[in-house]
Amino acid sequence: MNWLVFATGSAFFAGLTAILGKLGVEGINSNLATFIRTIVILFVTAGIISARNEWQLPQHIAAKPLTFLILSGVATGLSWLCYYRALQMAPASWVAPIDKLSVVIAIILGVVLLGEPLSMKLIMGSLLILSGVLILIL
């Protein structure tokens, strides 16, 4: 159940990110704000890796995983740039729920691209998330 602790932490910090990000983009270019945030993340992650003595790289990093990590980084950066720009233009209470459509998108992509099993629970959960977002934005 360790994954559940980390997933819950992710949700908490993502919610906090919306509020702190909204406060942080006031009077600053959203792209610059994203850059500052990225530098902070770089230093925090480097600190954690250092504290845990995890700087050892594998002997061989296969091209496929490395390519997907790079593409994931690009997707993350584009997501953050869009997110901060949206926060600059609208209340966090409007932006954050739409951002959480990423859950539905991840489920769809997991099923279509990764062949993950589709269950009635996934369908119902996705529809509930989508319904909640629509209720909040309309």
mmCIF file with all atom_site columns, all heavy atoms in Angstrom, residues 39-55:
data_model
loop_
_atom_site.group_PDB
_atom_site.id
_atom_site.type_symbol
_atom_site.label_atom_id
_atom_site.label_alt_id
_atom_site.label_comp_id
_atom_site.label_asym_id
_atom_site.label_entity_id
_atom_site.label_seq_id
_atom_site.pdbx_PDB_ins_code
_atom_site.Cartn_x
_atom_site.Cartn_y
_atom_site.Cartn_z
_atom_site.occupancy
_atom_site.B_iso_or_equiv
_atom_site.pdbx_formal_charge
_atom_site.auth_seq_id
_atom_site.auth_comp_id
_atom_site.auth_asym_id
_atom_site.auth_atom_id
_atom_site.pdbx_PDB_model_num
ATOM 1   N N   . ILE A 1 39 ? 13.273 25.068 -11.881 1.00 0.00 ? 39 ILE A N   1
ATOM 2   C CA  . ILE A 1 39 ? 14.581 25.133 -11.201 1.00 0.00 ? 39 ILE A CA  1
ATOM 3   C C   . ILE A 1 39 ? 14.448 24.660 -9.754  1.00 0.00 ? 39 ILE A C   1
ATOM 4   O O   . ILE A 1 39 ? 15.288 23.894 -9.269  1.00 0.00 ? 39 ILE A O   1
ATOM 5   C CB  . ILE A 1 39 ? 15.164 26.562 -11.276 1.00 0.00 ? 39 ILE A CB  1
ATOM 6   C CG1 . ILE A 1 39 ? 15.565 26.884 -12.713 1.00 0.00 ? 39 ILE A CG1 1
ATOM 7   C CG2 . ILE A 1 39 ? 16.361 26.710 -10.338 1.00 0.00 ? 39 ILE A CG2 1
ATOM 8   C CD1 . ILE A 1 39 ? 15.946 28.333 -12.939 1.00 0.00 ? 39 ILE A CD1 1
ATOM 9   N N   . VAL A 1 40 ? 13.394 25.089 -9.097  1.00 0.00 ? 40 VAL A N   1
ATOM 10  C CA  . VAL A 1 40 ? 13.169 24.654 -7.711  1.00 0.00 ? 40 VAL A CA  1
ATOM 11  C C   . VAL A 1 40 ? 13.004 23.136 -7.660  1.00 0.00 ? 40 VAL A C   1
ATOM 12  O O   . VAL A 1 40 ? 13.601 22.467 -6.808  1.00 0.00 ? 40 VAL A O   1
ATOM 13  C CB  . VAL A 1 40 ? 11.939 25.372 -7.100  1.00 0.00 ? 40 VAL A CB  1
ATOM 14  C CG1 . VAL A 1 40 ? 11.565 24.758 -5.757  1.00 0.00 ? 40 VAL A CG1 1
ATOM 15  C CG2 . VAL A 1 40 ? 12.208 26.865 -6.963  1.00 0.00 ? 40 VAL A CG2 1
ATOM 16  N N   . ILE A 1 41 ? 12.227 22.587 -8.574  1.00 0.00 ? 41 ILE A N   1
ATOM 17  C CA  . ILE A 1 41 ? 12.030 21.132 -8.622  1.00 0.00 ? 41 ILE A CA  1
ATOM 18  C C   . ILE A 1 41 ? 13.353 20.423 -8.856  1.00 0.00 ? 41 ILE A C   1
ATOM 19  O O   . ILE A 1 41 ? 13.644 19.393 -8.236  1.00 0.00 ? 41 ILE A O   1
ATOM 20  C CB  . ILE A 1 41 ? 10.995 20.756 -9.704  1.00 0.00 ? 41 ILE A CB  1
ATOM 21  C CG1 . ILE A 1 41 ? 9.620  21.255 -9.285  1.00 0.00 ? 41 ILE A CG1 1
ATOM 22  C CG2 . ILE A 1 41 ? 10.971 19.248 -9.950  1.00 0.00 ? 41 ILE A CG2 1
ATOM 23  C CD1 . ILE A 1 41 ? 8.587  21.210 -10.393 1.00 0.00 ? 41 ILE A CD1 1
ATOM 24  N N   . LEU A 1 42 ? 14.182 20.973 -9.731  1.00 0.00 ? 42 LEU A N   1
ATOM 25  C CA  . LEU A 1 42 ? 15.503 20.394 -10.007 1.00 0.00 ? 42 LEU A CA  1
ATOM 26  C C   . LEU A 1 42 ? 16.328 20.312 -8.728  1.00 0.00 ? 42 LEU A C   1
ATOM 27  O O   . LEU A 1 42 ? 16.895 19.263 -8.399  1.00 0.00 ? 42 LEU A O   1
ATOM 28  C CB  . LEU A 1 42 ? 16.231 21.224 -11.058 1.00 0.00 ? 42 LEU A CB  1
ATOM 29  C CG  . LEU A 1 42 ? 17.661 20.808 -11.378 1.00 0.00 ? 42 LEU A CG  1
ATOM 30  C CD1 . LEU A 1 42 ? 17.672 19.495 -12.148 1.00 0.00 ? 42 LEU A CD1 1
ATOM 31  C CD2 . LEU A 1 42 ? 18.351 21.886 -12.190 1.00 0.00 ? 42 LEU A CD2 1
ATOM 32  N N   . PHE A 1 43 ? 16.370 21.404 -7.964  1.00 0.00 ? 43 PHE A N   1
ATOM 33  C CA  . PHE A 1 43 ? 17.159 21.422 -6.737  1.00 0.00 ? 43 PHE A CA  1
ATOM 34  C C   . PHE A 1 43 ? 16.567 20.519 -5.647  1.00 0.00 ? 43 PHE A C   1
ATOM 35  O O   . PHE A 1 43 ? 17.309 19.831 -4.939  1.00 0.00 ? 43 PHE A O   1
ATOM 36  C CB  . PHE A 1 43 ? 17.342 22.852 -6.219  1.00 0.00 ? 43 PHE A CB  1
ATOM 37  C CG  . PHE A 1 43 ? 18.383 23.622 -6.964  1.00 0.00 ? 43 PHE A CG  1
ATOM 38  C CD1 . PHE A 1 43 ? 18.029 24.656 -7.809  1.00 0.00 ? 43 PHE A CD1 1
ATOM 39  C CD2 . PHE A 1 43 ? 19.735 23.301 -6.840  1.00 0.00 ? 43 PHE A CD2 1
ATOM 40  C CE1 . PHE A 1 43 ? 18.995 25.367 -8.514  1.00 0.00 ? 43 PHE A CE1 1
ATOM 41  C CE2 . PHE A 1 43 ? 20.706 24.000 -7.536  1.00 0.00 ? 43 PHE A CE2 1
ATOM 42  C CZ  . PHE A 1 43 ? 20.340 25.040 -8.375  1.00 0.00 ? 43 PHE A CZ  1
ATOM 43  N N   . VAL A 1 44 ? 15.249 20.504 -5.521  1.00 0.00 ? 44 VAL A N   1
ATOM 44  C CA  . VAL A 1 44 ? 14.619 19.642 -4.519  1.00 0.00 ? 44 VAL A CA  1
ATOM 45  C C   . VAL A 1 44 ? 14.894 18.178 -4.846  1.00 0.00 ? 44 VAL A C   1
ATOM 46  O O   . VAL A 1 44 ? 15.282 17.383 -3.974  1.00 0.00 ? 44 VAL A O   1
ATOM 47  C CB  . VAL A 1 44 ? 13.098 19.916 -4.421  1.00 0.00 ? 44 VAL A CB  1
ATOM 48  C CG1 . VAL A 1 44 ? 12.385 18.838 -3.604  1.00 0.00 ? 44 VAL A CG1 1
ATOM 49  C CG2 . VAL A 1 44 ? 12.843 21.291 -3.826  1.00 0.00 ? 44 VAL A CG2 1
ATOM 50  N N   . THR A 1 45 ? 14.715 17.812 -6.115  1.00 0.00 ? 45 THR A N   1
ATOM 51  C CA  . THR A 1 45 ? 14.967 16.425 -6.521  1.00 0.00 ? 45 THR A CA  1
ATOM 52  C C   . THR A 1 45 ? 16.434 16.056 -6.343  1.00 0.00 ? 45 THR A C   1
ATOM 53  O O   . THR A 1 45 ? 16.754 14.962 -5.856  1.00 0.00 ? 45 THR A O   1
ATOM 54  C CB  . THR A 1 45 ? 14.533 16.213 -7.989  1.00 0.00 ? 45 THR A CB  1
ATOM 55  O OG1 . THR A 1 45 ? 13.185 16.641 -8.136  1.00 0.00 ? 45 THR A OG1 1
ATOM 56  C CG2 . THR A 1 45 ? 14.643 14.758 -8.389  1.00 0.00 ? 45 THR A CG2 1
ATOM 57  N N   . ALA A 1 46 ? 17.342 16.959 -6.720  1.00 0.00 ? 46 ALA A N   1
ATOM 58  C CA  . ALA A 1 46 ? 18.776 16.696 -6.531  1.00 0.00 ? 46 ALA A CA  1
ATOM 59  C C   . ALA A 1 46 ? 19.095 16.521 -5.048  1.00 0.00 ? 46 ALA A C   1
ATOM 60  O O   . ALA A 1 46 ? 19.907 15.659 -4.675  1.00 0.00 ? 46 ALA A O   1
ATOM 61  C CB  . ALA A 1 46 ? 19.605 17.824 -7.128  1.00 0.00 ? 46 ALA A CB  1
ATOM 62  N N   . GLY A 1 47 ? 18.444 17.299 -4.196  1.00 0.00 ? 47 GLY A N   1
ATOM 63  C CA  . GLY A 1 47 ? 18.649 17.162 -2.749  1.00 0.00 ? 47 GLY A CA  1
ATOM 64  C C   . GLY A 1 47 ? 18.186 15.815 -2.226  1.00 0.00 ? 47 GLY A C   1
ATOM 65  O O   . GLY A 1 47 ? 18.868 15.176 -1.416  1.00 0.00 ? 47 GLY A O   1
ATOM 66  N N   . ILE A 1 48 ? 17.038 15.356 -2.718  1.00 0.00 ? 48 ILE A N   1
ATOM 67  C CA  . ILE A 1 48 ? 16.520 14.048 -2.296  1.00 0.00 ? 48 ILE A CA  1
ATOM 68  C C   . ILE A 1 48 ? 17.442 12.933 -2.782  1.00 0.00 ? 48 ILE A C   1
ATOM 69  O O   . ILE A 1 48 ? 17.778 12.012 -2.024  1.00 0.00 ? 48 ILE A O   1
ATOM 70  C CB  . ILE A 1 48 ? 15.081 13.844 -2.812  1.00 0.00 ? 48 ILE A CB  1
ATOM 71  C CG1 . ILE A 1 48 ? 14.120 14.803 -2.082  1.00 0.00 ? 48 ILE A CG1 1
ATOM 72  C CG2 . ILE A 1 48 ? 14.627 12.393 -2.639  1.00 0.00 ? 48 ILE A CG2 1
ATOM 73  C CD1 . ILE A 1 48 ? 12.737 14.884 -2.694  1.00 0.00 ? 48 ILE A CD1 1
ATOM 74  N N   . ILE A 1 49 ? 17.872 13.027 -4.040  1.00 0.00 ? 49 ILE A N   1
ATOM 75  C CA  . ILE A 1 49 ? 18.782 12.008 -4.587  1.00 0.00 ? 49 ILE A CA  1
ATOM 76  C C   . ILE A 1 49 ? 20.084 11.991 -3.802  1.00 0.00 ? 49 ILE A C   1
ATOM 77  O O   . ILE A 1 49 ? 20.621 10.923 -3.496  1.00 0.00 ? 49 ILE A O   1
ATOM 78  C CB  . ILE A 1 49 ? 19.036 12.264 -6.093  1.00 0.00 ? 49 ILE A CB  1
ATOM 79  C CG1 . ILE A 1 49 ? 17.756 12.001 -6.892  1.00 0.00 ? 49 ILE A CG1 1
ATOM 80  C CG2 . ILE A 1 49 ? 20.170 11.396 -6.623  1.00 0.00 ? 49 ILE A CG2 1
ATOM 81  C CD1 . ILE A 1 49 ? 17.831 12.458 -8.334  1.00 0.00 ? 49 ILE A CD1 1
ATOM 82  N N   . SER A 1 50 ? 20.586 13.169 -3.448  1.00 0.00 ? 50 SER A N   1
ATOM 83  C CA  . SER A 1 50 ? 21.828 13.246 -2.671  1.00 0.00 ? 50 SER A CA  1
ATOM 84  C C   . SER A 1 50 ? 21.635 12.660 -1.277  1.00 0.00 ? 50 SER A C   1
ATOM 85  O O   . SER A 1 50 ? 22.474 11.885 -0.800  1.00 0.00 ? 50 SER A O   1
ATOM 86  C CB  . SER A 1 50 ? 22.297 14.696 -2.568  1.00 0.00 ? 50 SER A CB  1
ATOM 87  O OG  . SER A 1 50 ? 22.654 15.190 -3.835  1.00 0.00 ? 50 SER A OG  1
ATOM 88  N N   . ALA A 1 51 ? 20.547 13.021 -0.622  1.00 0.00 ? 51 ALA A N   1
ATOM 89  C CA  . ALA A 1 51 ? 20.297 12.540 0.733   1.00 0.00 ? 51 ALA A CA  1
ATOM 90  C C   . ALA A 1 51 ? 20.142 11.020 0.775   1.00 0.00 ? 51 ALA A C   1
ATOM 91  O O   . ALA A 1 51 ? 20.531 10.372 1.743   1.00 0.00 ? 51 ALA A O   1
ATOM 92  C CB  . ALA A 1 51 ? 19.044 13.206 1.307   1.00 0.00 ? 51 ALA A CB  1
ATOM 93  N N   . ARG A 1 52 ? 19.605 10.457 -0.286  1.00 0.00 ? 52 ARG A N   1
ATOM 94  C CA  . ARG A 1 52 ? 19.393 9.006  -0.344  1.00 0.00 ? 52 ARG A CA  1
ATOM 95  C C   . ARG A 1 52 ? 20.541 8.282  -1.043  1.00 0.00 ? 52 ARG A C   1
ATOM 96  O O   . ARG A 1 52 ? 20.475 7.081  -1.242  1.00 0.00 ? 52 ARG A O   1
ATOM 97  C CB  . ARG A 1 52 ? 18.076 8.702  -1.046  1.00 0.00 ? 52 ARG A CB  1
ATOM 98  C CG  . ARG A 1 52 ? 16.866 9.212  -0.251  1.00 0.00 ? 52 ARG A CG  1
ATOM 99  C CD  . ARG A 1 52 ? 15.573 8.991  -1.006  1.00 0.00 ? 52 ARG A CD  1
ATOM 100 N NE  . ARG A 1 52 ? 15.437 7.619  -1.448  1.00 0.00 ? 52 ARG A NE  1
ATOM 101 C CZ  . ARG A 1 52 ? 14.657 6.699  -0.885  1.00 0.00 ? 52 ARG A CZ  1
ATOM 102 N NH1 . ARG A 1 52 ? 13.941 7.023  0.166   1.00 0.00 ? 52 ARG A NH1 1
ATOM 103 N NH2 . ARG A 1 52 ? 14.583 5.476  -1.362  1.00 0.00 ? 52 ARG A NH2 1
ATOM 104 N N   . ASN A 1 53 ? 21.559 9.027  -1.444  1.00 0.00 ? 53 ASN A N   1
ATOM 105 C CA  . ASN A 1 53 ? 22.732 8.472  -2.125  1.00 0.00 ? 53 ASN A CA  1
ATOM 106 C C   . ASN A 1 53 ? 22.328 7.622  -3.345  1.00 0.00 ? 53 ASN A C   1
ATOM 107 O O   . ASN A 1 53 ? 22.734 6.479  -3.493  1.00 0.00 ? 53 ASN A O   1
ATOM 108 C CB  . ASN A 1 53 ? 23.573 7.641  -1.149  1.00 0.00 ? 53 ASN A CB  1
ATOM 109 C CG  . ASN A 1 53 ? 24.956 7.369  -1.700  1.00 0.00 ? 53 ASN A CG  1
ATOM 110 O OD1 . ASN A 1 53 ? 25.473 8.119  -2.520  1.00 0.00 ? 53 ASN A OD1 1
ATOM 111 N ND2 . ASN A 1 53 ? 25.553 6.275  -1.257  1.00 0.00 ? 53 ASN A ND2 1
ATOM 112 N N   . GLU A 1 54 ? 21.529 8.232  -4.212  1.00 0.00 ? 54 GLU A N   1
ATOM 113 C CA  . GLU A 1 54 ? 20.988 7.518  -5.374  1.00 0.00 ? 54 GLU A CA  1
ATOM 114 C C   . GLU A 1 54 ? 21.534 8.042  -6.702  1.00 0.00 ? 54 GLU A C   1
ATOM 115 O O   . GLU A 1 54 ? 20.891 7.898  -7.737  1.00 0.00 ? 54 GLU A O   1
ATOM 116 C CB  . GLU A 1 54 ? 19.458 7.614  -5.373  1.00 0.00 ? 54 GLU A CB  1
ATOM 117 C CG  . GLU A 1 54 ? 18.821 6.930  -4.190  1.00 0.00 ? 54 GLU A CG  1
ATOM 118 C CD  . GLU A 1 54 ? 17.318 7.109  -4.117  1.00 0.00 ? 54 GLU A CD  1
ATOM 119 O OE1 . GLU A 1 54 ? 16.789 8.095  -4.678  1.00 0.00 ? 54 GLU A OE1 1
ATOM 120 O OE2 . GLU A 1 54 ? 16.667 6.274  -3.485  1.00 0.00 ? 54 GLU A OE2 1
ATOM 121 N N   . TRP A 1 55 ? 22.703 8.632  -6.702  1.00 0.00 ? 55 TRP A N   1
ATOM 122 C CA  . TRP A 1 55 ? 23.274 9.190  -7.924  1.00 0.00 ? 55 TRP A CA  1
ATOM 123 C C   . TRP A 1 55 ? 23.850 8.135  -8.859  1.00 0.00 ? 55 TRP A C   1
ATOM 124 O O   . TRP A 1 55 ? 24.283 8.452  -9.949  1.00 0.00 ? 55 TRP A O   1
ATOM 125 C CB  . TRP A 1 55 ? 24.356 10.223 -7.593  1.00 0.00 ? 55 TRP A CB  1
ATOM 126 C CG  . TRP A 1 55 ? 23.773 11.538 -7.192  1.00 0.00 ? 55 TRP A CG  1
ATOM 127 C CD1 . TRP A 1 55 ? 23.736 12.049 -5.935  1.00 0.00 ? 55 TRP A CD1 1
ATOM 128 C CD2 . TRP A 1 55 ? 23.127 12.501 -8.031  1.00 0.00 ? 55 TRP A CD2 1
ATOM 129 N NE1 . TRP A 1 55 ? 23.099 13.274 -5.925  1.00 0.00 ? 55 TRP A NE1 1
ATOM 130 C CE2 . TRP A 1 55 ? 22.721 13.579 -7.213  1.00 0.00 ? 55 TRP A CE2 1
ATOM 131 C CE3 . TRP A 1 55 ? 22.839 12.562 -9.396  1.00 0.00 ? 55 TRP A CE3 1
ATOM 132 C CZ2 . TRP A 1 55 ? 22.052 14.697 -7.715  1.00 0.00 ? 55 TRP A CZ2 1
ATOM 133 C CZ3 . TRP A 1 55 ? 22.177 13.680 -9.890  1.00 0.00 ? 55 TRP A CZ3 1
ATOM 134 C CH2 . TRP A 1 55 ? 21.794 14.725 -9.049  1.00 0.00 ? 55 TRP A CH2 1
#
